[in-house]
Amino acid sequence: MKSIFKKILAVLAPFILSYNLQADEQSELKSRFLNKIDEIIVIVENKNITKEQRNADIVKSISPMFDFELMAKLSLGSTWKELSASDAKRFVELYVERMKQSYSAKIDAYEGEKVEINKIQQPKSNRMAFFTDLVGKEEKLEIVYKFHKPSQSIQGKEDWLVYDVEILGVSILKTDRAQFKEFLRTKSIGELMDALAKQS
Amino acid sequence: MRSVYFAFAITFVITLTGCSSKSVEKPSEVAIEQESGDFNGELEGFADEFEVEEVYDPFSGYNRAMTTFNDKAYEYAIKPVAEGYKWVLHEDIRESVDNFFKNLYFPMRFVNNVLQGKMRNAAEESVRFVVNSTAGVLGLFDVAKKYCELEPHNEDFGQTLGFYGVGSGPHIVLPLLGPSNLRDLIGMYPDSYLSPLDYTERNYDTLTDTPAEYLGAKTLEKVNYVSLNIDWYDDIKRDAVDLYPYLRDMYEQYRDKQIKE
């Protein structure tokens, strides 16, 4: 009888432990995330500063939580490995700049919506997904933030970083991957970079 | 036996501290060590997640041309008209017009919810229709949402087909209506029979009798909708390096999600 208890316990203990570890990580990231949103709302609602200044402040605030560099690499799929070192560097710079501009513009369109976290999933120990609703006056917008935890922390960045955002089921990264892939079928990486440069 | 209790007590204590504080350095180190195993080359870990399923696209030439046409039509016709309309009518009125049209499509939502076995949603749709058509003055006000917290459950026949495993088929861009695919295009036919906005011969009254009236009503619906979401298309468009595949993929991803819900 004794040994059965011991065995059961031995089997369960790691689960209980890891479950708690996960719950702990999740609640910590959740509070960071909510703090970040509050921080951004303060910036967006400050109409005393110029739009440019607001955008710059938004970028400064969100950058530590977003892994734009990883997104740039992932957006190219297998092509990424074929780039020369200088192209790779320039592509990442352009992509990151475009993302920052696009994000800050979208966030600046904020009009009193509320962010509610509905569900947190942790499919792997180093992946987490926040299912949120952006609740506006008329409609709700379902937005999923996907975080990953790099094995080594990156300087100037937080532990958990957003690597993809899904709006109403549309993944920003997937969409970019598809359009870049199609673009590169007939055009060069140089042309793609020129197109990206025009957007930011 | 005592040792078991002891072990349990320890687990319990660790569990509790795990909840309340960050003093569990040891286990988190273990977790990181486990991770680094599958983190050789940071990109490998993401490979499966972003495997892009190619959209079946035999009509890409036509689709591309139609996307350009729609884009220009939006920029030079629909948007300016919607802007003028927006300037004339107060937002509350435009929202009521939007509610009115949405309320009309209740039969479509109801039938498709039932066909997918979503009885609870079908029932909620029914309550919404009754409440909004009466207390909400012919659907002009969405009182069901405001006071009863009943959200709409959008389902159309394209989603019903997808629910039963019908694939999307080739992607097709429709004139003025935008991205679609064969499945959703076929789905529009039964849905039109469930819409009170139609001009074909029916054994009951519809709101429009002639194609001209139908087109007028549909145009009003579209212009009104655009006026409420005037920057929406431009916001989406700014991230496109190539508009057609960009919109095509967004549409297919969006529909896949709607079907899964």
Side-chain angles (χ1 to χ4, degrees), chain A residues 24-126:
Chain A
D24 197 32
E25 269 188 318
Q26 288 178 8
S27 62
E28 196 182 318
L29 183 56
K30 186 178 172 181
S31 68
R32 267 171 196 274
F33 180 76
L34 291 173
N35 282 342
K36 187 64 80 182
I37 289 168
D38 290 342
E39 192 182 309
I40 290 167
I41 289 176
V42 171
I43 300 172
V44 174
E45 286 185 337
N46 183 2
K47 300 295 175 196
N48 295 327
I49 53 177
T50 62
K51 196 173 155 53
E52 285 71 33
Q53 187 56 46
R54 262 205 314 275
N55 279 6
D57 286 355
I58 293 169
V59 167
K60 206 173 141 196
S61 166
I62 61 173
S63 290
M65 197 175 247
F66 278 74
D67 200 342
F68 291 127
E69 290 78 11
L70 177 66
M71 294 175 84
K73 294 172 193 171
L74 289 172
S75 75
L76 275 184
S78 55
T79 314
W80 169 252
K81 290 184 196 132
E82 296 159 19
L83 294 191
S84 68
S86 62
D87 276 355
K89 189 166 173 275
R90 179 157 176 249
F91 180 81
V92 170
E93 281 168 10
L94 286 168
Y95 188 91
V96 169
E97 191 52 35
R98 164 180 176 261
M99 270 294 169
K100 285 179 177 170
Q101 296 300 331
S102 158
Y103 262 71
S104 53
K106 283 189 180 73
I107 292 172
D108 205 28
Y110 170 90
E111 279 175 68
E113 292 99 341
K114 283 198 186 74
V115 178
E116 289 170 359
I117 299 177
N118 286 336
K119 193 169 60 170
I120 298 176
Q121 272 182 359
Q122 193 163 5
K124 288 186 198 168
S125 59
N126 57 349

Side-chain angles (χ1 to χ4, degrees), chain B residues 205-218:
Chain B
D205 280 339
T206 50
L207 287 173
T208 53
D209 296 325
T210 63
E213 281 176 24
Y214 170 77
L215 215 61
K218 276 288 179 190

Side-chain angles (χ1 to χ4, degrees), chain B residues 13-28:
Chain B
V13 169
I14 293 173
T15 311
L16 279 183
T17 52
C19 285
S20 58
S21 74
K22 292 157 221 109
S23 63
V24 274
E25 250 91 78
K26 250 196 182 150
S28 68

Side-chain angles (χ1 to χ4, degrees), chain B residues 58-94:
Chain B
F59 309 130
S60 62
Y62 155 82
N63 284 338
R64 198 172 269 283
M66 190 47 84
T67 300
T68 310
F69 171 79
N70 284 344
D71 185 52
K72 296 290 171 224
Y74 183 83
E75 195 177 339
Y76 295 111
I78 299 169
K79 196 182 172 191
V81 171
E83 268 168 347
Y85 178 86
K86 184 183 175 185
W87 191 74
V88 176
L89 286 176
H90 189 271
E91 189 178 351
D92 291 347
I93 298 175
R94 289 181 285 125

